[in-house]
Amino acid sequence: MNEMIKDISVVDYYERVTIDNPRDTESCIRLKKTTNARICLGRAGDRCKTETLLKFRADHGVAMDAVWSEVDETIVDQLGFFKVQTLVEDKEQYIKRPDLGRVFSQETLDGIKGNCIESPDVQIIATDGLSACAINANLADIYPILIDGLTAKGYTIGTPIFVKYGRVATMDQISEAIQAKVTILLVGERPGLATDESMSSYMAYESSTLKPESQRTVISNIHRKGVPPVEAGAQLVNLVEVLIREKKSGVELKI
Amino acid sequence: MSVGIDIGTTTTQVIFSRIKVENTATSFLIPEMKITDKKILYKSEIHFTPLLARDKIHLPELKAIIESEYDKAGIQKDEIVTGAIIITGETARKNNAEEVLRILSDFAGDFVVATAGPDLESILAGYGAGAAEASNHFTARVVNFDIGGGTTNGAIFWEGEVIDSFALDIGGRLIQIDQQGVICYVSEKITPLIHYLQLELVVGLKAKLEEIKALTDAFAKIFVQISSSEDIEEEAVKLFIGHSHKGLKAEKIMFSGGVAEFIYSDYEIGSMKDVTLFGDIGPLLGYSIRKIFEKDQHRLVEAREKIRATVIGAGSHSIKISGSTILFDEDLLPLKNIPIIKLAENEDIEHMFNGIGEKIKRYGDIPVALAFKGPKSPSYGQIKEMAKAIAANAVGSHPVIVIVENDFAKALGQTVMNMLNAGTRVICIDQIKVDNGDYIDIGKSIANVVPTIVKTLIFKQ
């Protein structure tokens, strides 16, 4: 029989088999490790067990909370990010008006121009996107690796910018404002039922509002259980080299 | 194109295979290069290994055999990129093994393993026989016994990986019998067991079927005992070469090697004439094993390859591909026979690297590779600490070579490089598992990954 579970969020469900009296527990665990799907659960009559339902609800709850979460500003402050905000005024508006999450006011753009290094080789931007938790979990590891790598290669790096209530396209406006060669935007991915910490990195050569979405090269699935953030940082350094050498990005770049 | 050459106590074989490496990840993810296909293009005939004496290989004849197989396959030497020549069984312990490798080195590409210890041979034979796939297929521990002329190589697989390997002095040619049924050779390695069993198997005597069968039955019983994790008699334990097995129970059992051909067949033995088909005890050993497992049929799995298992393992399973995000210096590659210093895992990184400098010094002028598992997703702080320790232990003009199991080699390699003087070369690769006492060859890169061959040369404790 299954032992009592007190806190459902601390159990490793990649290994927990809830079938009653399984014939081969080891095989079940092996299967479970190969997928995020909820398998080897057992059942109560023709329905799922209470534990399965609770876990599903708990995961869904994490995803919902992630959307409404805020970036811990002490992290961006410590890393020396310059903070700006899109036209969005609060989380609710951010969800309802995707268009406003892509643009800045003229004052904000002037502020960026006035306070940030102009024409750097690489401009780094971080934004909450649909999961601030992803930024909280990964930024402190990926950012310094990225800086170390880029510095060692001799690239000039712009003042890092944190965008509150931002979407991916904010990188175009920022790039145009400060004339960066390569712009990297780190953004929280839409949370799923597997993790709320997954981050994507979008990057473009001479990122511009006039170019289509296909200008962007992306690495997704950056989190503890996916691509480790430090390894993604090192890989980004390589991609920056490629983008600068080829003077293009996105689908134009065949990598 | 990969070549496998297996020079055994009894037979010599060559195979050629084509190995395909592809990116298996979608375009929004970091590339993930994997071996996606291994196709055997050519299997040679099975030649008897040409011997001058029991302990000396006839070099020119061996060279002629290999040459003729290249010709028959229509393959040029320069098409070979990777592969392995292995000298196995009793032959490997012979003094002229090095000579053999010297005359054959022309036949292999830039990147070919040269020697094999019994453990590596066990592992390769297991892969070649298909035991790794079988362990996934049946979700079971699968043991493969590759029974050759001089030795038996055992390997246990679980989830497609080797979990134990060992070798025994059990083989089809440890006793040889002439046309008249007279014993003409008894290996000294099995004489203690023969005495223990109180058998009269002595050179010059006419061989009796019951006597030989008593011996092969005893061998067969050892295989049952090993796979069922039962106690083995003291006299039988002495047959292990170098070290014993770990005592893991295996649910499924597989046999490869020449003797296996008689296990999975219906060859019946009624008289001495049936035994002496090849002038040795191989057929009878196969028969004994088949009989002993008759009650336990469901545990017996037929090997995909039998007599060719080792050569196929050598030709197409010896290579492992590194992770895709790694750091290397193409000019330094290929690197051969790099000894491994494996660090004990420890939360405290400083502690983990304690005393490493001393160990590196022991190798003197030979560059070594530092290997460890490392955290699943290390923080920046941990990367810095590891890099600092590695950089502090860098030796003069030697390249820094680091092998980790988890996926962070690029981040670590880059950080190490930034800490060292310009000019010090760094190779940092991941998703490769090695152990203390192993040696590694790292080949030239293919599509940003490097092929590696991990060689287990030394007897493990």
Side-chain angles (χ1 to χ4, degrees):
Chain A
M1 281 307 291
N2 299 324
E3 66 274 26
M4 289 289 286
I5 293 178
K6 292 209 176 70
D7 182 354
I8 209 155
S9 64
V10 298
V11 178
D12 182 2
Y13 274 87
Y14 283 91
E15 292 203 6
R16 183 168 163 78
V17 174
T18 49
I19 299 171
D20 292 325
N21 308 315
R23 186 161 173 269
D24 187 347
T25 314
E26 248 177 318
S27 294
C28 291
I29 294 172
R30 214 186 108 217
L31 274 178
K32 281 186 76 78
K33 280 183 184 163
T34 63
T35 175
N36 286 328
R38 285 150 211 263
I39 57 168
C40 302
L41 302 169
R43 60 194 167 83
D46 55 1
R47 305 196 181 188
C48 65
K49 292 188 169 192
T50 309
E51 185 184 341
T52 308
L53 182 70
L54 286 176
K55 175 64 181 160
F56 186 83
R57 290 228 176 123
D59 288 348
H60 192 227
V62 168
M64 303 262 278
D65 287 353
V67 174
W68 298 97
S69 64
E70 302 280 346
V71 167
D72 177 358
E73 295 205 7
T74 53
I75 296 175
V76 289
D77 285 342
Q78 268 168 13
L79 296 171
F81 274 70
F82 178 69
K83 294 188 282 190
V84 295
Q85 188 168 335
T86 58
L87 293 183
V88 172
E89 276 161 17
D90 56 40
K91 269 284 174 191
E92 203 176 320
Q93 191 183 32
Y94 177 76
I95 306 291
K96 287 179 179 162
R97 292 288 305 272
D99 56 329
L100 297 182
R102 297 191 186 107
V103 281
F104 297 105
S105 67
Q106 193 52 51
E107 290 124 276
T108 309
L109 285 174
D110 289 343
I112 291 172
K113 277 187 206 167
N115 289 288
C116 298
I117 298 164
E118 258 183 80
S119 313
D121 290 330
V122 184
Q123 173 64 45
I124 298 168
I125 306 165
T127 187
D128 38 16
L130 284 165
S131 174
C133 303
I135 298 297
N136 290 341
N138 300 310
L139 190 64
D141 287 325
I142 194 170
Y143 181 74
I145 278 279
L146 203 47
I147 298 299
D148 286 355
L150 293 172
T151 312
K153 302 270 179 200
Y155 294 122
T156 57
I157 304 164
T159 313
I161 298 173
F162 170 68
V163 180
K164 194 170 186 178
Y165 305 136
R167 291 184 185 262
V168 174
T170 50
M171 67 191 286
D172 300 340
Q173 267 198 317
I174 293 175
S175 166
E176 285 171 344
I178 57 160
Q179 298 291 310
K181 263 194 198 142
V182 170
T183 307
I184 300 175
L185 175 111
L186 304 167
V187 57
E189 283 174 15
R190 182 190 310 276
L193 289 168
T195 177
D196 59 336
E197 293 184 350
S198 190
M199 186 175 81
S200 280
S201 163
Y202 288 83
M203 55 200 305
Y205 185 79
E206 291 177 353
S207 182
S208 157
T209 52
L210 304 173
K211 289 184 188 171
E213 304 267 343
S214 62
Q215 68 179 311
R216 298 181 195 118
T217 297
V218 64
I219 295 178
S220 66
N221 200 33
I222 303 168
H223 58 103
R224 275 185 301 132
K225 289 180 176 163
V227 178
V230 289
E231 196 67 347
Q235 180 69 4
L236 283 174
V237 173
N238 257 55
L239 281 173
V240 166
E241 266 189 297
V242 174
L243 262 54
I244 288 184
R245 187 179 67 227
E246 301 290 328
K247 297 194 178 356
K248 54 190 173 192
S249 58
V251 291
E252 285 191 339
L253 190 73
K254 290 191 181 76
I255 42 173
Chain B
M1 184 84 75
S2 166
V3 66
I5 301 174
D6 172 18
I7 302 161
T9 318
T10 322
T11 61
T12 292
Q13 308 174 47
V14 182
I15 64 145
F16 296 100
S17 56
R18 191 176 291 284
I19 294 175
K20 199 170 166 189
V21 178
E22 264 182 329
N23 180 12
T24 57
T26 65
S27 50
F28 298 118
L29 294 171
I30 282 181
E32 203 176 331
M33 306 305 293
K34 282 195 176 144
I35 293 177
T36 53
D37 195 27
K38 293 170 191 163
K39 200 172 166 192
I40 293 159
L41 302 177
Y42 178 81
K43 294 180 187 175
S44 80
E45 278 172 48
I46 295 157
H47 301 272
F48 273 98
T49 303
L51 299 172
L52 281 174
R54 205 168 287 287
D55 63 348
K56 201 153 172 63
I57 292 169
H58 192 303
L59 295 172
E61 236 179 75
L62 181 69
K63 194 170 176 183
I65 289 173
I66 309 286
E67 234 158 30
S68 74
E69 290 298 347
Y70 270 75
D71 283 348
K72 275 193 227 161
I75 285 165
Q76 303 297 317
K77 290 174 199 168
D78 55 15
E79 290 176 67
I80 305 295
V81 183
T82 175
I85 301 176
I86 61 171
I87 304 185
T88 59
E90 284 196 295
T91 331
R93 285 179 261 166
K94 291 171 186 169
N95 43 18
N96 59 345
E98 263 182 31
E99 289 280 291
V100 173
L101 297 170
R102 192 178 49 76
I103 64 149
L104 291 183
S105 61
D106 290 357
F107 289 97
D110 220 359
F111 180 55
V112 172
V113 181
T115 52
D119 282 324
L120 178 63
E121 191 189 338
S122 301
I123 293 164
L124 292 180
Y127 276 114
E133 285 96 326
S135 72
N136 278 329
H137 180 80
F138 294 109
T139 328
R141 289 196 180 84
V142 177
V143 61
N144 181 64
F145 294 107
D146 188 85
I147 311 176
T151 54
T152 291
N153 291 92
I156 302 181
F157 290 82
W158 166 243
E159 295 192 337
E161 301 274 343
V162 184
I163 53 174
D164 190 17
S165 61
F166 48 87
L168 294 152
D169 281 315
I170 296 180
R173 284 184 88 75
L174 292 176
I175 293 184
Q176 289 168 31
I177 303 157
D178 71 12
Q179 297 286 324
Q180 282 73 47
V182 174
I183 298 170
C184 53
Y185 169 71
V186 177
S187 166
E188 60 190 32
K189 301 201 178 75
I190 58 166
T191 43
L193 182 68
I194 291 172
H195 289 311
Y196 174 74
L197 295 170
Q198 298 181 326
L199 300 173
E200 259 189 290
L201 295 169
V202 186
V203 174
L205 279 186
K206 193 113 173 139
K208 290 193 205 108
L209 181 60
E210 325 77 79
E211 295 251 316
I212 304 179
K213 190 151 180 309
L215 179 69
T216 54
D217 284 349
F219 284 155
K221 202 171 127 204
I222 294 170
F223 294 130
V224 174
Q225 287 166 333
I226 290 175
S227 51
S228 306
S229 180
E230 291 164 12
D231 287 340
I232 303 170
E233 279 111 8
E234 206 181 308
E235 286 306 314
V237 171
K238 289 182 188 155
L239 297 175
F240 278 102
I241 302 168
H243 64 97
S244 171
H245 67 134
K246 289 185 193 157
L248 301 167
K249 191 174 152 64
E251 291 87 19
K252 298 279 178 191
I253 302 151
M254 198 180 250
F255 288 93
S256 61
V259 171
E261 304 283 346
F262 294 94
I263 299 174
Y264 301 101
S265 74
D266 48 13
Y267 186 79
E268 283 298 327
I269 289 182
S271 67
M272 268 318 284
K273 208 165 159 267
D274 299 328
V275 176
T276 53
L277 187 66
F278 291 102
D280 58 34
I281 58 168
L284 191 60
L285 178 54
Y287 181 78
S288 290
I289 292 168
R290 191 187 337 140
K291 289 291 166 197
I292 208 164
F293 280 104
E294 232 159 32
K295 302 182 290 294
D296 240 357
Q297 276 295 340
H298 67 281
R299 289 181 68 196
L300 205 59
V301 182
E302 183 157 359
R304 187 184 51 207
E305 292 289 340
K306 297 177 195 78
I307 194 163
R308 289 190 169 87
T310 307
V311 72
I312 285 174
S316 56
H317 293 273
S318 50
I319 300 161
K320 291 234 156 53
I321 299 288
S322 71
S324 309
T325 51
I326 54 170
L327 188 114
F328 58 88
D329 190 326
E330 189 72 25
D331 298 342
L332 266 181
L333 302 175
L335 284 168
K336 287 186 183 183
N337 295 322
I338 304 295
I340 305 282
I341 297 179
K342 177 99 182 232
L343 311 184
E345 284 317 303
N346 197 312
E347 293 275 309
D348 181 358
I349 289 163
E350 210 185 300
H351 193 263
M352 207 164 96
F353 283 87
N354 251 346
I356 286 307
E358 286 301 312
K359 285 191 186 163
I360 295 174
K361 255 184 226 147
R362 265 183 243 156
Y363 285 89
D365 273 347
I366 310 165
V368 293
L370 291 181
F372 54 98
K373 189 169 177 207
K376 186 107 182 77
S377 175
S379 69
Y380 175 69
Q382 287 172 311
I383 290 279
K384 268 267 197 247
E385 260 190 86
M386 289 186 260
K388 218 163 100 187
I390 292 165
N393 284 303
V395 183
S397 58
H398 285 172
V400 173
I401 307 165
V402 182
I403 299 162
V404 294
E405 277 175 48
N406 281 320
D407 179 17
F408 59 87
K410 201 179 193 95
L412 181 62
Q414 208 180 71
T415 312
V416 171
M417 199 138 102
N418 294 344
M419 288 179 179
L420 293 167
N421 304 331
T424 307
R425 297 166 179 237
V426 180
I427 291 182
C428 190
I429 61 177
D430 59 25
Q431 286 165 38
I432 299 286
K433 202 176 158 186
V434 289
D435 260 320
N436 255 331
D438 288 348
Y439 288 72
I440 192 168
D441 286 4
I442 305 172
K444 283 205 172 285
S445 69
I446 317 167
N448 285 319
V449 298
V450 292
T452 64
I453 295 184
V454 179
K455 295 185 279 190
T456 307
L457 291 175
I458 295 173
F459 296 117
K460 281 188 191 150
Q461 292 313 309

